[in-house]
Amino acid sequence: MSAPVPQQSRFSGIRPAAVSVASGSAVVTTLTMANAPWEAVLLAVLGTLVVSLVLGLAKIVMPEESEHKRDLLLAWIRHRERRAKVHERRLARRGNSARSRR
C-alpha cells in the first residue's frame, strides 16, 4: 500500500489577480453585448483593474509563513491601539481647552 498523496487546492495554481481579470473580462463582455452605456463598461474595467492591483499588492505584502502573518497582524493591532490612545488624548485636550475658554 502506498502513502496517501496530499490533496491540492482547486485554485492553488490560479492567481487571484488572474481570476479577477478573467471575471472582469466576462462582465465587460456581457455589458457590451447588452448595449450598456459606456460609463458602465468603463466602471467595470476600472473596478477590475483596482481589484487586480489590490490582490496583487496583498500577495506581495503579506508574508507566506503563518507565523509571520500573525506577527504582522499583531503589529497592526498594536498600531491601531496606539492611534486610538493618541486620538483619545487629543479629544481630552480639546475638551479641557474648551472648558477653560468659558
Side-chain angles (χ1 to χ4, degrees):
M1 189 164 178
S2 63
V5 178
Q7 293 287 328
Q8 288 186 345
S9 170
R10 285 180 20 191
F11 303 107
S12 63
I14 301 175
R15 296 179 182 211
V19 171
S20 173
V21 168
S23 62
S25 298
V27 168
V28 168
T29 302
T30 304
L31 288 173
T32 305
M33 291 176 70
N35 290 329
W38 66 269
E39 295 94 353
V41 176
L42 182 65
L43 188 64
V45 168
L46 291 177
T48 300
L49 289 174
V50 167
V51 168
S52 298
L53 291 173
V54 167
L55 289 176
L57 183 63
K59 184 99 173 147
I60 291 170
V61 172
M62 289 297 292
E64 290 293 320
E65 299 294 324
S66 62
E67 181 179 315
H68 296 162
K69 285 183 183 178
R70 186 200 68 216
D71 293 343
L72 183 63
L73 180 64
L74 291 175
W76 181 75
I77 290 171
R78 278 187 242 118
H79 171 73
R80 295 287 296 177
E81 288 173 349
R82 282 194 308 266
R83 285 185 60 195
K85 287 180 184 176
V86 168
H87 184 68
E88 288 174 3
R89 288 183 201 141
R90 286 183 183 164
L91 288 177
R93 272 190 261 153
R94 286 182 187 166
N96 289 339
S97 63
R99 289 181 194 147
S100 63
R101 289 181 195 164
R102 292 181 190 175

